[in-house]
Amino acid sequence: MIPVEKLVDHVRTYNPSSNAKLITDAYEYGKLMHGGQTRHSGDPYFTHPIEVAALLAQQNLDDSTIVTALLHDVIEDTEATYKEVAKKFGVEVAQLVDGVTKLTNLELSSNDAKQAENVRKLLLAMSKDVRVILVKLGDRLHNMRTIKHMRPEKQLQKARETMDIYAPLAGRMGMQWMRDELEDLSFRVLNPEGRNSILRRFLTLRSQTEDVIPKITQDIRDVLQKAGIEAEVVGREKKPYSVWRKMQEKGEGFSRLSDIYAFRILTNEEEDIYKALGAVHKRWTAVPGRFKDYLSQPKSNGYRSVHTTVSGRDGKRVEIQIRTGQMHDVAETGVAAHWSYKDGHRVENPFAVDPFAWLASLTERFGNSDDQDHEEFLEHVKLDMFADQVFCFTPKGDVIQLPRGATPIDFAYAIHTRIGAACVGAKVDGRRVPLWTRLRNGQSIDVTTAEGQRPQSSWIDIAVTGRAKSAIRRALREEHREGYVRLGTELARVALEHVGKKSTDKALTTASKKLGLKNKEALLARLGSAEMTGADLVGALYPELLTNGKPETDLPAAEILGLNPGQYAQPGQCCQPLPGERIVGIATRGKGVVFHTIHCEKLAEYEDQSSRWIDLRWTQGRNDPNNNVTIEVTMANDAGVLGRICTLIGEQNANIADLQFTERKSDFYRMTIEIQVRDVEHLHHVITAVEADSDVAHVKRTRQRLHGTQAEPQKGANGVT
Ligand code: MN
C-alpha cells in the first residue's frame, strides 16, 4: 500500500502549495471507512483508491481531484454519507464523489457502437464536472490493470465495456496514453489469441531487424543535428491493439516497419517542426499520401502534430511524428492538462485545448457561448452541454436519448410507435409513476402496454417530442376524422378569405396535390388536427400573398457559373431556361454562349460536337424578375375568367408580357400567355395559383413561343436569333 507521505510528496513535486493535511485526512478517513474490506486479489480494499489517486497525481491534477480519488468508493461501499463527506472535505469534493458514485451505479450493458455513443453522452451528461470523468477513468484503468482476479465472465463484460465506452471516451478527452492502455488491457481479455499473434510477429521481426529502434533514432538525431535543430528523438513499438485495429481496417497483414515502430521528434520551438520535417524529407524519401498536418489544423481535442512516413534504411518505411514538447504534453494528457500543475501553478500551456471549445466539439454545438461566464466555466468545466437532454435506459439496457422534460409517453414512442400508442402506464426504476412524470438521466423505464389502448388527446400536452406529438395527432385524426374534416373545412375557409380567396373544391384539391396529400379530405383533416396551419394552405396556393414572403433584396444577384473570362451567356429562345433549372451552354463561333435547359431538344443538334458543350450552373441569389416564359392555360368560356386569371398572375408578382388565344371553342378557350418571372420556383407559384381557379381546367408551361417568332433560328454568326 502506498503510504500517504509518498502520495503527498509526489503531489508536492508539481504543486508545492498543495494542502497536505486535506490529502492526509482523506487518506486516513478512506482507510478507516473501508476498514477490513478486501479486493478479489485479497489485498485490503483501500489499496485501490490509493492507486487511483496515484494515477491522477501522475497527471499532475489538483487537490480536489486527488481527494475525490481517495474517497471515490466511500459513499457507495461504506457507511459514509454525502453529508459527512461534505462536512469533512467540503461540498466540492462531496459533489465530485457523488458524481463518481452515480456513474458507478449505472448498469451499462450495451454492445453495439451506436448505443456506445449514447452511453458516452450519458456519462458526460451525468458528470457535472469533467473531473468526475477523470476520476472514473482512473478507477477503470486500475480495475483493468487488476482484472485477472475477477471471474472470467465478469472480465469479459468489463473489458467489452472498457473497449466500447471508456477507451473512446479517454480518446475524446485527448488522453492518448490512457486510451492506449485501456484498449490494450481490454484486448488482452477479449482476444488473447489475436494479441498473442501480434506479439509473436513482433518477436520475429525484432529478431530479423535487430536493434532497429536505437539505429533509426540515431539516424534521425544525426539528420537534425546537421540541420542545427535541437530536439528529442524517441522511438517506440506500437501497442498490439493499435496494430490489430489497423490490420482490421485495412484488411491486410503487416510486414512493414512503419506498422510496428513509430518515432517522435519533440522540438523546443514551434518553428522547428517544419524545419525538422524538411530535414527528414531531404534525407529520406517521403511516402506519398502519408503526410498529415495537424499543426495548421489541430484536432478538436487539442492534438497538434505533423505526421509523415519516409522510406528509411534499406527502403524500409518509418513513421515519424513531429511536434513540440508542450504539444506532446497536450497529446498525452488532453483535457486533463487544464487542471495540471507545475511548480505550484496551473500550467500555462499555450497549446492546451480550451475545455470550452472541446466541450463544444463533443456536442457538435458551436457558438452559443456568449451568455456563459467563460471564466467561471473554465474554473469547473461544467458539463452542462447536455442540459437539454436526458438519457434513459430500456429494460434491455439500451440508452434512449430524449429532450429534457420528456415523459414516459415520449420514451414509449421513441422505442416504437406501436408501444407509444398502446401505453397505459410506466415504471421508473421499478416504481409505478404517472405518465406526466419528467424523466431524469440514468433512469430505467419499463413501459406497460395493453391491447386495445389508444392514444388520448390529453397526451399531446404531456408529450414533448415531435415524434410522439405527431404520432398522437395522426392517431387521433384517424379516430376522429369526421370531426377534424369539419373543423378543417372551417379553418380553410377563414384562412383563404383572409387573403381574399374562396375555399373552393378546386382550390383545396390543387393545394392537396401541391402538398403531396391524397385528396382534399386528407388536407382538411390535417388542418383540423393542427398538423397543418392555415398559413400552410395559403402558402401552398398563393405563396406570394403570404405577408412574410421573402424579400430577396439582401441576396447577391444570381449569376451563371462556368463561363470562361470574356464569355457572355444568353438564354436559348427555344426552351427559355429559368434560374434554378439545370442548364447546358453551347459555345458559338462569335461572342457568346447560348444556354439551354438540360432537356431542350435543340441540344441533340450538338451531340457530336462535344467540344462546344460548357457545363454551366446558376448560383443561388436574387434573380431579375423579367425572365420570359410561356404558359398555356385551358379555361372555361365564361364571362370574367380571363380577367380573374390576369389578376391572379399579377398577385403573384409576375408581369404579363403578351397573350394570345390559340383555340376558342363554345365551352372552352385555350390561350398562351408569356409572363415574366424570377425563377423556376416563381413560375410554379404562378401555375399553382392559376390552377386553383375553379374555371381553369389545365395549366402547363410550353416551349411554343407566341406569334410564331421562334420556329427555326437563323444560322447567323452566333448560331441563334
Ligand atoms: Mn473504484
Side-chain angles (χ1 to χ4, degrees):
M1 198 181 294
I2 303 172
V4 67
E5 295 77 18
K6 207 177 153 203
L7 181 64
V8 168
D9 283 351
H10 183 172
V11 175
R12 281 265 161 104
T13 60
Y14 63 83
N15 179 11
S17 57
S18 153
N19 186 341
K21 182 168 181 332
L22 186 75
I23 295 177
T24 311
D25 286 353
Y27 187 103
E28 295 303 337
Y29 180 73
K31 194 170 164 187
L32 178 76
M33 295 312 286
H34 284 292
Q37 295 172 356
T38 54
R39 307 198 83 210
H40 289 294
S41 60
D43 288 337
Y45 190 87
F46 193 57
T47 54
H48 164 65
I50 300 172
E51 291 290 346
V52 177
L55 267 168
L56 293 161
Q58 275 166 25
Q59 301 170 57
N60 296 7
L61 290 169
D62 67 356
D63 285 352
S64 300
T65 312
I66 305 291
V67 168
T68 300
L70 289 170
L71 302 177
H72 80 266
D73 280 329
V74 294
I75 293 183
E76 172 70 4
D77 294 338
T78 78
E79 303 285 292
T81 61
Y82 176 90
K83 250 191 182 162
E84 200 176 40
V85 172
K87 213 173 101 197
K88 283 185 185 297
F89 304 99
V91 174
E92 188 185 356
V93 167
Q95 281 179 346
L96 289 170
V97 173
D98 187 50
V100 180
T101 307
K102 284 196 174 118
L103 297 194
T104 307
N105 284 338
L106 285 175
E107 294 277 336
L108 307 175
S109 62
S110 198
N111 282 339
D112 76 274
K114 215 172 92 209
Q115 278 295 314
E117 174 58 20
N118 265 341
V119 173
R120 286 193 290 273
K121 282 188 189 163
L122 169 65
L123 293 181
L124 290 166
M126 289 188 68
S127 319
K128 302 259 156 53
D129 190 310
V130 175
R131 288 175 295 179
V132 169
I133 299 274
L134 297 179
V135 175
K136 189 65 205 168
L137 286 172
D139 174 54
R140 178 50 60 111
L141 181 57
H142 183 243
N143 284 335
M144 286 304 295
R145 282 179 179 175
T146 54
I147 197 167
K148 64 171 189 283
H149 302 292
M150 283 186 163
R151 291 198 318 275
E153 65 270 24
K154 194 88 181 160
Q155 287 190 23
L156 278 174
Q157 188 224 322
K158 290 285 167 198
R160 183 83 263 158
E161 192 177 286
T162 303
M163 191 66 106
D164 287 345
I165 310 215
Y166 290 102
L169 192 58
R172 290 279 280 280
M173 301 184 77
M175 304 162 79
Q176 199 46 50
W177 70 274
M178 170 83 81
R179 180 189 184 154
D180 285 347
E181 190 173 344
L182 285 174
E183 278 176 350
D184 205 48
L185 290 166
S186 308
F187 188 40
R188 196 189 290 248
V189 174
L190 294 172
N191 192 345
E193 297 84 5
R195 187 169 183 273
N196 283 336
S197 71
I198 302 268
L199 290 176
R200 266 198 305 277
R201 193 87 185 94
F202 277 10
L203 276 177
T204 321
L205 277 164
R206 227 176 282 160
S207 66
Q208 289 168 356
T209 58
E210 231 174 314
D211 279 346
V212 72
I213 293 188
K215 267 188 211 149
I216 296 176
T217 308
Q218 194 51 50
D219 283 354
I220 299 175
R221 277 197 194 118
D222 292 346
V223 164
L224 295 177
Q225 206 179 4
K226 248 190 224 156
I229 299 162
E230 259 184 67
E232 192 187 331
V233 181
V234 198
R236 72 197 160 96
E237 211 164 61
K238 290 185 182 177
K239 290 270 189 215
Y241 181 70
S242 86
V243 175
W244 174 265
R245 183 172 45 198
K246 277 241 171 75
M247 283 168 59
Q248 302 293 102
E249 279 167 9
K250 289 192 197 152
E252 57 187 49
F254 73 101
S255 54
R256 291 189 180 120
L257 235 46
S258 62
D259 295 321
I260 309 149
Y261 301 116
F263 294 84
R264 221 171 254 151
I265 300 174
L266 302 180
T267 65
N268 294 332
E269 305 299 330
E270 196 177 343
E271 57 263 30
D272 285 346
I273 294 176
Y274 289 116
K275 277 190 208 155
L277 179 73
V280 166
H281 279 179
K282 207 169 135 195
R283 171 70 179 75
W284 296 290
T285 316
V287 177
R290 295 291 297 268
F291 174 68
K292 290 200 186 89
D293 187 352
Y294 298 116
L295 197 59
S296 55
Q297 282 182 310
K299 291 191 189 178
S300 62
N301 61 17
Y303 184 77
R304 277 180 172 79
S305 191
V306 165
H307 297 184
T308 188
T309 302
V310 294
S311 292
R313 267 177 190 269
D314 322 321
K316 284 183 178 119
R317 287 180 171 197
V318 173
E319 186 186 305
I320 303 174
Q321 304 178 344
I322 313 171
R323 49 192 182 240
T324 67
Q326 278 180 322
M327 290 174 187
H328 181 64
D329 289 346
V330 174
E332 289 296 302
T333 49
V335 174
H338 175 72
W339 290 270
S340 290
Y341 279 80
K342 214 175 214 168
D343 307 326
H345 299 288
R346 285 259 169 99
V347 182
E348 296 274 325
N349 186 330
F351 305 114
V353 61
D354 176 358
F356 196 78
W358 169 74
L359 286 178
S361 77
L362 272 189
T363 49
E364 291 135 31
R365 252 183 12 196
F366 293 89
N368 268 342
S369 54
D370 303 343
D371 49 343
Q372 298 248 19
D373 183 350
H374 203 80
E375 275 307 301
E376 199 249 3
F377 177 87
L378 287 181
E379 194 58 33
H380 297 294
V381 188
K382 297 251 168 44
L383 278 169
D384 53 3
M385 75 278 203
F386 289 116
D388 53 351
Q389 303 283 313
V390 287
F391 301 85
C392 296
F393 291 100
T394 68
K396 280 190 201 147
D398 288 344
V399 177
I400 305 282
Q401 181 179 359
L402 295 163
R404 183 151 296 263
T407 61
I409 299 265
D410 295 299
F411 184 86
Y413 273 104
I415 298 175
H416 198 283
T417 312
R418 262 203 326 270
I419 308 241
C423 170
V424 287
K427 283 185 188 161
V428 169
D429 290 336
R431 283 216 335 269
R432 184 164 281 286
V433 298
L435 285 177
W436 38 261
T437 306
R438 304 279 180 226
L439 300 178
R440 293 204 306 271
N441 266 320
Q443 287 181 326
S444 168
I445 320 294
D446 194 354
V447 176
T448 319
T449 57
E451 222 171 300
Q453 165 74 332
R454 285 183 197 293
Q456 310 295 301
S457 52
S458 62
W459 288 5
I460 289 187
D461 298 323
I462 295 174
V464 304
T465 54
R467 177 176 175 155
K469 274 180 189 289
S470 70
I472 296 165
R473 287 212 174 96
R474 207 162 49 234
L476 291 173
R477 161 160 51 83
E478 288 314 315
E479 201 169 324
H480 308 287
R481 192 175 172 93
E482 226 171 280
Y484 280 136
V485 169
R486 230 178 300 129
L487 180 59
T489 308
E490 189 56 22
L491 290 170
R493 188 183 61 76
V494 172
L496 287 168
E497 267 177 13
H498 194 72
V499 293
K501 300 288 170 195
K502 282 217 172 83
S503 175
T504 60
D505 281 0
K506 182 74 195 304
L508 293 173
T509 306
T510 306
S512 61
K513 234 191 285 163
K514 187 88 194 287
L515 292 164
L517 299 173
K518 211 164 76 200
N519 49 32
K520 74 175 170 48
E521 280 74 26
L523 176 116
L524 293 171
R526 273 181 171 71
L527 268 177
S529 64
E531 285 163 275
M532 233 184 77
T533 65
D536 294 336
L537 171 63
V538 174
L541 287 173
Y542 313 104
E544 306 280 327
L545 292 184
L546 280 187
T547 40
N548 58 357
K550 20 63 233 274
E552 291 185 333
T553 41
D554 291 352
L555 290 169
E559 47 188 342
I560 290 177
L561 282 187
L563 292 169
N564 292 321
Q567 276 181 326
Y568 66 89
Q570 51 178 319
Q573 289 309 302
C574 40
C575 53
Q576 298 178 314
L578 288 176
E581 288 190 295
R582 276 196 64 192
I583 49 173
V584 169
I586 299 292
T588 62
R589 240 164 295 136
K591 33 203 167 153
V593 173
V594 179
F595 59 93
H596 302 265
T597 63
I598 189 86
H599 299 299
C600 181
E601 285 168 14
K602 194 108 186 29
L603 288 175
E605 294 175 21
Y606 304 98
E607 222 153 45
D608 49 356
Q609 305 175 47
S610 56
S611 61
R612 295 178 65 187
W613 291 57
I614 303 171
D615 201 15
L616 298 177
R617 65 185 176 87
W618 300 96
T619 58
Q620 292 275 334
R622 176 170 42 79
N623 291 309
D624 286 334
N626 52 5
N627 297 287
N628 284 340
V629 62
T630 313
I631 58 173
E632 186 188 80
V633 183
T634 312
M635 70 193 95
N637 179 359
D638 240 348
V641 181
L642 183 55
R644 267 210 318 279
I645 286 168
C646 292
T647 309
L648 282 167
I649 292 172
E651 276 175 356
Q652 298 303 306
N653 298 320
N655 285 326
I656 296 177
D658 202 352
L659 54 85
Q660 190 180 54
F661 285 100
T662 47
E663 238 181 315
R664 277 194 226 223
K665 294 277 158 68
S666 59
D667 53 344
F668 75 91
Y669 293 160
R670 183 166 292 144
M671 64 187 310
T672 316
I673 310 176
E674 184 159 340
I675 56 174
Q676 294 179 321
V677 293
R678 284 190 311 271
D679 50 29
V680 70
E681 194 191 358
H682 190 192
L683 171 67
H684 289 150
H685 292 171
V686 174
I687 291 181
T688 310
V690 174
E691 198 160 32
D693 190 278
S694 306
D695 287 326
V696 170
H698 192 58
V699 188
K700 67 168 192 194
R701 182 177 178 183
T702 167
R703 315 279 176 182
Q704 299 297 310
R705 295 203 61 224
L706 291 180
H707 305 301
T709 46
Q710 158 243 11
E712 274 306 296
Q714 302 164 18
K715 298 280 184 219
N718 59 2
V720 292
T721 45

